Amino acid sequence: MPDHPLPVDPDQPISPSTASVLTVIAVGGAIGALARAGVAEALPHPRDGFDVATLVTNVVGSLLLGMLMVYVVEHERGHPLLRPFVGVGVLGGFTTFSTYTVHTRGLLGHDLPLALVEIVAGVVLCLVAVAAGVALMRRWGPR
């Protein structure tokens, strides 16, 4: 272990303790996972159908992550624990690349066109959402 803690967020001058960082990530992750479960309950899909819930969570999470990064990095706003809490915890627990890949892999065996749609839609829409989040925060975010 180094004599001094490594910075949690290189964009923030204050470095909180490791315990506080792990705590906010865990609490944020629980919140995000519960929110994702709520979306999955609200938007169920058949096992062999298009997974709208996962697409929605990943796109919304990407949008919010783009906004968060501009807020924290470019506007230099927020508490030093904001990025670990929201970015790693809440949005890390909310978005789910693993569910996306497992479901798509399952589709590959019996519905190749739908699997390809899910792959392309997930990647493209999430990239567009990040760019939109960045653009929105740059245009209407705090100055």
Side-chain angles (χ1 to χ4, degrees):
M1 286 297 254
D3 292 335
H4 55 17
L6 297 174
V8 173
D9 184 341
D11 304 312
Q12 296 292 332
I14 301 168
S15 191
S17 74
T18 302
S20 63
V21 172
L22 294 177
T23 300
V24 300
I25 289 172
V27 170
I31 293 167
L34 288 170
R36 176 169 33 106
V39 173
E41 285 288 318
L43 301 171
H45 69 280
R47 174 168 247 173
D48 58 349
F50 191 80
D51 188 355
V52 175
T54 297
L55 181 64
V56 167
T57 58
N58 287 344
V59 170
V60 169
S62 296
L63 175 81
L64 295 174
L65 190 58
M67 294 174 76
L68 174 70
M69 294 310 295
V70 170
Y71 183 77
V72 171
V73 176
E74 293 181 17
H75 295 296
E76 298 177 353
R77 300 281 178 108
H79 189 278
L81 292 174
L82 179 66
R83 190 167 167 179
F85 174 68
V86 176
V88 179
V90 175
L91 296 177
F94 183 65
T95 59
T96 174
F97 190 73
S98 60
T99 299
Y100 162 76
T101 55
V102 167
H103 183 260
T104 304
R105 183 174 179 245
L107 288 176
L108 285 172
H110 67 277
D111 194 342
L112 183 60
L114 183 59
L116 293 175
V117 167
E118 213 167 275
I119 290 168
V120 172
V123 172
V124 170
L125 292 176
C126 287
L127 289 173
V128 168
V130 168
V134 168
L136 286 170
M137 189 56 81
R138 283 181 177 161
R139 180 164 176 109
W140 290 298
R143 298 280 173 231

